[in-house]
Amino acid sequence: MSNKLVLVLNCGSSSLKFAVINANNGDEVISGLAECFNLPDARIKWNVSGKKDAIHLPANSAHSEAITYIVEEIIKKEVGLAEQLIAVGHRIVHGGEHFTQSVIVDKQVLAELKQCSSLAPLHNPAAILGIKAAQEAFSTLPQVVVFDTAFHQTMPEKAFMYALPSHLYKEKGIRRYGMHGTSHLFVSREAAKALNKPLAETNVITAHLGNGGSITAVKGGKSVDTSMGMTPLAGIVMGTRCGDLDPSIIEYLITREDYTLETVMDMLQKQSGLLGISGISSDFRDVANAAAEGHKNANLAIDMFCYRLAKYIAAYTVPLGRVDALIFTGGIGENSDLVREKVLNLLTIFGYQIDEAKNKATKLGKQGIITQENSPIAMVIPTNEEWVIAEDAAALVSA
Ligand code: ADP
């Protein structure tokens, strides 16, 4: 089978992750990160076939300068690589209701993407900058957009509607959209393979636990409910985000305390979650280390993280009826035996019994079942969002 190489771009407002992926098998030929955009310290670090390198970009560089460097100085310097690229795949955080699957970019798609920007004001405009820069750098290559929200467009109304006056949905598009779709899709597909069942007959609960996190109920390969909402702020406890919250707290802080809307929102997004509760860090490893040394609030942060997670998992047995497997993924899900053990111990009512040895051994990219033989299945499946983006791009280009 010939290589199907896709340049995958994931543009944030101040950084850009990039990779060249073989869509046939997920192999990563190049991966890297450009960061500190619009600052004196703008830079790129990357890895080609295991060899690491890094440079400083001119001060205040941003998406366009970074993509020009990636194309001219990294990709084109690898003999024959640029010629093998068949597409550029862009990760887009929010596709609203308009985008239910990945598409090749044309003028109309760009216009519709701009319309979705109000739903993801930090992310979508950055992705559009990335698309334009990639179009200039690779004028002949098709550009494909792959959405975090698209996988969740199969949710029924009862799951995606908020209990608000319904005109807010009809006129303003206010509803649950969900995120991390490529990850939930990837691990639910891999779970069906591992269980040796057809995807259409496989029901799983997928827990994507990274810096952000979300839980999804996947029935026969389709998302039927998910914990993130209209934006990525809702759901479980995250690194710096609060997750679910009584909205009256916002009003209380603004009207009775000395907060502005801006300071409250900044707190909910950047100073809450593991960081806010522990007062130590948003990084799970730091919080776990402090907890192990007896730090009270670090222990509380981990307990709250696991408790809310377990409650979401329990809730998602409702739309699924039968659960074939519970899947842990993302940096925390793939590596923290502590979180997995605490969560499964909170779910013993469903019969979960952890296999301690397997749980401890399954980390650092390993896939496997972590429960005992007579227990319902919980397993770890490392995610690969870039591969999904490359696959979708390759499939659209071939079609
Ligand atoms: P992102 O959402 O940025 O892609 P990741 O999926 O890389 O994030 O997950 C980052 C989280 O994973 C951090 O909280 C980090 O502490 C945690 N993590 C990474 N490795 C480990 C580990 N060995 N044990 C526990 N947590 C880990």
Side-chain angles (χ1 to χ4, degrees), residues 354-380:
I354 194 137
D355 181 318
E356 281 181 22
K358 284 185 187 160
N359 184 39
K360 284 205 166 27
T362 311
K363 51 181 63 171
L364 302 173
K366 281 200 193 129
Q367 173 173 325
I369 292 176
I370 55 166
T371 37
Q372 295 178 22
E373 264 183 22
N374 53 353
S375 157
I377 294 173
M379 59 193 302
V380 175

Side-chain angles (χ1 to χ4, degrees), residues 3 62 71 169 204 206 218 244 276 348:
N3 285 340
V71 172
Y169 166 57
V204 291
T206 50
V218 187
D244 294 341
T348 49

Side-chain angles (χ1 to χ4, degrees), residues 243-255:
D244 294 341
L245 190 76
D246 179 347
S248 299
I249 294 170
I250 299 171
E251 185 228 30
Y252 186 95
L253 289 173
I254 292 171
T255 56

Side-chain angles (χ1 to χ4, degrees), residues 258-277:
D258 203 13
Y259 282 78
T260 63
L261 182 59
E262 207 184 5
T263 52
V264 175
M265 293 315 293
D266 187 74
M267 179 181 74
L268 301 184
Q269 295 187 20
K270 299 189 188 144
Q271 298 162 42
S272 299
L274 293 173
L275 171 66
I277 307 158

Side-chain angles (χ1 to χ4, degrees), residues 17 208-212 274 282-285 330-332 335-336 364:
K17 280 191 200 159
H208 175 103
L209 312 172
N211 285 312
L274 293 173
S282 62
D283 190 290
F284 189 85
R285 285 164 293 198
I332 300 172
N335 294 300
S336 175
L364 302 173

Side-chain angles (χ1 to χ4, degrees), residues 209-228:
L209 312 172
N211 285 312
S214 63
I215 314 301
T216 299
V218 187
K219 189 170 193 172
K222 293 189 163 72
S223 168
V224 290
D225 207 345
T226 193
S227 61
M228 279 185 168

